[in-house]
Amino acid sequence: MKDLDAWIAEQVQQAPETRRLLVTNHESFGYFADRYGLAIVGAVVPSVSTSASPSAKELAALADRVRQVGAPAVFLETGASPQLAQQLAKETGIKVVTGLYTHSITAPGGEAASYLDMMRYNTKAIVDALK
């Protein structure tokens, strides 16, 4: 776990400091952001529940915030509907990164077959989008 922690910190350092900004589908990755020096810009669904829906005013405010800070991407976990994130991307020009693992891992042999693999996979996807 210590090796993984050090590896993640090293990977995040590869992203420019001004781009270490996370926009997520819902309020996830807070602990990850705190641990590795990323800033949470906001969430498409401003709740920990994936079944909640943002108001038009909330989505417009998030789009304004994304433009203001220059967030490069919005990150979605596996199984999340990409519709609102795609709408945000269309309005702001950011990338939509899908398929992050937050509540499950893959089958053996998959890209996130263990906790360690999941963390490596997510870190690589996040950092690649932030570079």
Side-chain angles (χ1 to χ4, degrees):
M1 292 300 284
K2 287 181 180 180
D3 289 344
L4 175 65
D5 181 54
W7 181 84
I8 293 171
E10 181 181 292
Q11 296 305 303
V12 170
Q13 293 301 311
Q14 293 178 24
E17 191 171 343
T18 58
R19 292 177 59 93
R20 294 181 199 158
L21 306 167
L22 293 183
V23 179
T24 59
N25 184 53
H26 65 94
E27 295 175 356
S28 57
F29 293 100
Y31 291 115
F32 186 87
D34 288 345
R35 176 74 182 160
Y36 300 108
L38 301 160
I40 301 288
V41 173
V44 174
V45 178
S47 170
V48 292
S49 170
T50 56
S51 63
S53 294
S55 68
K57 183 178 180 180
E58 289 170 324
L59 198 55
L62 179 59
D64 288 344
R65 178 91 174 114
V66 165
R67 282 189 213 88
Q68 177 186 28
V69 301
V74 56
F75 299 93
L76 283 71
E77 68 277 0
T78 57
S81 172
Q83 289 176 310
L84 291 173
Q86 289 168 342
Q87 180 181 341
L88 180 66
K90 184 177 178 182
E91 292 177 22
T92 61
I94 64 174
K95 293 183 260 186
V96 177
V97 178
T98 61
L100 298 181
Y101 295 91
T102 57
H103 295 57
S104 65
I105 57 176
T106 62
E111 57 206 4
S114 69
Y115 176 78
L116 299 176
D117 291 339
M118 175 192 73
M119 292 300 292
R120 286 185 197 103
Y121 177 84
N122 286 349
T123 299
K124 183 171 176 1
I126 290 168
V127 171
D128 285 350
L130 297 180
K131 286 183 179 178

